Amino acid sequence: MKSKIPKDHPRHDSLVRRERLAELGKKGLVHETGLIAHGRGEAFDYLLGEKTIPASDHAEKVAACYLLLAKNPVISLNGNVVALAPKECIELAELLPAKLEVNVFHRTQKRVEALVEEMKKAGAKEVLGAKADAKLSYISSERAKCSKEGIYSSDVVLVPLEDGDRTEALVKMGKRVSVIDLNPLSRTARTATVTVVDELTRALPNIKRWVEKLKGDDREDLKGMVSGWDNKRYLKEVRKYILTRNFE
Ligand code: ATP
């Protein structure tokens, strides 16, 4: 669909994102609660100045290190992610390489298949999720259903826009979980191994840039970077950034 938002509108990009979510909402790919989640993200992005703050660039570097160290890295996709950043996910997955898997809270077979199809339209070769042949432990919602060769057997999962329950379940299962969440106070943010407090469409290309930069590095150096990461301290730094920012 061609956007009707004028190119010179001061909030062009943000309005185009809303338009895209609404469009996929009408098709049933984005759930209506996804629109609420997006609004909460926008509010936090305002507080951050709608840019990648230096501490989050560091978080993106550590998320890249985890992905590079992984044996079976998976990028988990929900409706909002497929609507807003399909190409960014595909590019990162191809570079690593990592698997792509659709996993949604409001799961119907039809919706998962439509999301897989949407990713294929954007250029993805393989997207897991339609065949749910495994179940995550510690979780009772439909999100427990996943792919055996994907999220179930993964050691590192990148979950853009996650809910707290599943992050907790994945961590309890022994996986390293990197999340992208603009809300530094969410349960997701507090539970993840690495939380990237940045907007999805900025965070994914930044992680990709770090992967490109660090790809040839010694594994021991990458391990050193992840072992030095303190997620709690980082979240404190983000909160301090918001509280002490000059809003004039
Ligand atoms: P939790 O269970 O972790 O406390 P929650 O119930 O708020 O979180 P969701 O409703 O799934 O979880 O919300 C997803 C989160 O995604 C929101 O907190 C919001 O800040 C964040 N978010 C939404 N859109 C974006 C975006 N484009 N980029 C980054 N983060 C986003």
Side-chain angles (χ1 to χ4, degrees):
M1 189 184 81
K2 213 168 148 27
S3 173
K4 290 196 184 84
I5 315 286
K7 285 240 172 335
D8 59 353
H9 191 287
R11 299 209 50 75
H12 175 269
D13 294 355
S14 162
L15 295 182
V16 167
R17 278 200 284 274
R18 286 184 181 182
E19 210 174 49
R20 173 88 179 136
L21 286 168
E23 184 197 341
L24 290 207
K26 278 187 208 135
K27 291 186 189 164
L29 275 82
V30 168
H31 193 264
E32 53 199 11
T33 57
L35 305 181
I36 299 168
H38 183 76
R40 176 154 44 201
E42 281 186 335
F44 277 103
D45 210 17
Y46 255 81
L47 294 174
L48 289 162
E50 295 178 296
K51 61 169 198 270
T52 306
I53 67 170
S56 297
D57 188 48
H58 188 193
E60 283 153 357
K61 182 180 184 182
V62 177
C65 290
Y66 268 116
L67 288 167
L68 284 167
L69 286 166
K71 286 199 190 77
N72 185 18
V74 178
I75 303 174
S76 177
L77 311 166
N78 70 7
N80 285 33
V81 175
V82 172
L84 298 176
K87 290 217 158 50
E88 289 85 343
C89 290
I90 295 167
E91 283 172 15
L92 180 60
E94 283 180 355
L95 178 68
L96 281 157
K99 290 172 186 156
L100 294 164
E101 178 169 341
V102 170
N103 180 280
V104 289
F105 184 80
H106 299 280
R107 182 189 171 97
T108 63
Q109 191 59 25
K110 197 172 152 206
R111 183 171 175 230
V112 174
E113 280 169 17
L115 287 166
V116 168
E117 210 33 57
E118 192 67 26
M119 286 301 291
K120 293 211 167 144
K121 263 205 294 190
K125 289 186 191 76
E126 196 188 4
V127 184
L128 304 170
K131 188 175 134 207
D133 51 3
K135 259 189 161 184
L136 295 176
S137 318
Y138 312 107
I139 191 161
S140 53
S141 74
E142 282 289 284
R143 290 202 83 174
K145 291 183 181 168
C146 64
S147 154
K148 201 179 228 166
E149 59 167 308
I151 290 171
Y152 187 79
S153 57
S154 66
D155 52 344
V156 173
V157 198
L158 174 66
V159 258
L161 320 192
E162 181 57 330
D163 67 59
D165 283 10
R166 196 171 69 124
T167 311
E168 205 172 337
L170 292 168
V171 169
K172 272 196 197 161
M173 285 179 78
K175 301 177 193 303
R176 308 290 185 192
V177 185
S178 299
V179 300
I180 299 170
D181 188 341
L182 277 160
N183 178 2
L185 306 170
S186 72
R187 284 180 312 132
T188 300
R190 290 165 191 259
T191 317
T193 317
V194 184
T195 306
V196 172
V197 183
D198 200 3
E199 207 280 323
L200 181 67
T201 59
R202 292 195 303 267
L204 287 167
N206 284 342
I207 295 172
K208 182 178 157 234
R209 179 176 46 82
W210 278 117
V211 169
E212 278 162 349
K213 212 165 173 176
L214 300 168
K215 218 169 191 268
D217 278 25
D218 201 274
R219 280 182 74 81
E220 289 311 309
D221 292 342
L222 300 179
K223 281 184 191 165
M225 278 185 255
V226 305
S227 70
W229 180 249
D230 182 341
N231 207 51
K232 224 172 165 178
R233 195 171 67 198
Y234 160 67
L235 290 175
K236 210 168 169 181
E237 211 174 318
V238 174
R239 294 199 299 269
K240 190 169 165 206
Y241 180 91
I242 293 174
L243 290 171
T244 55
R245 209 188 127 209
N246 181 3
F247 288 98
E248 292 312 315

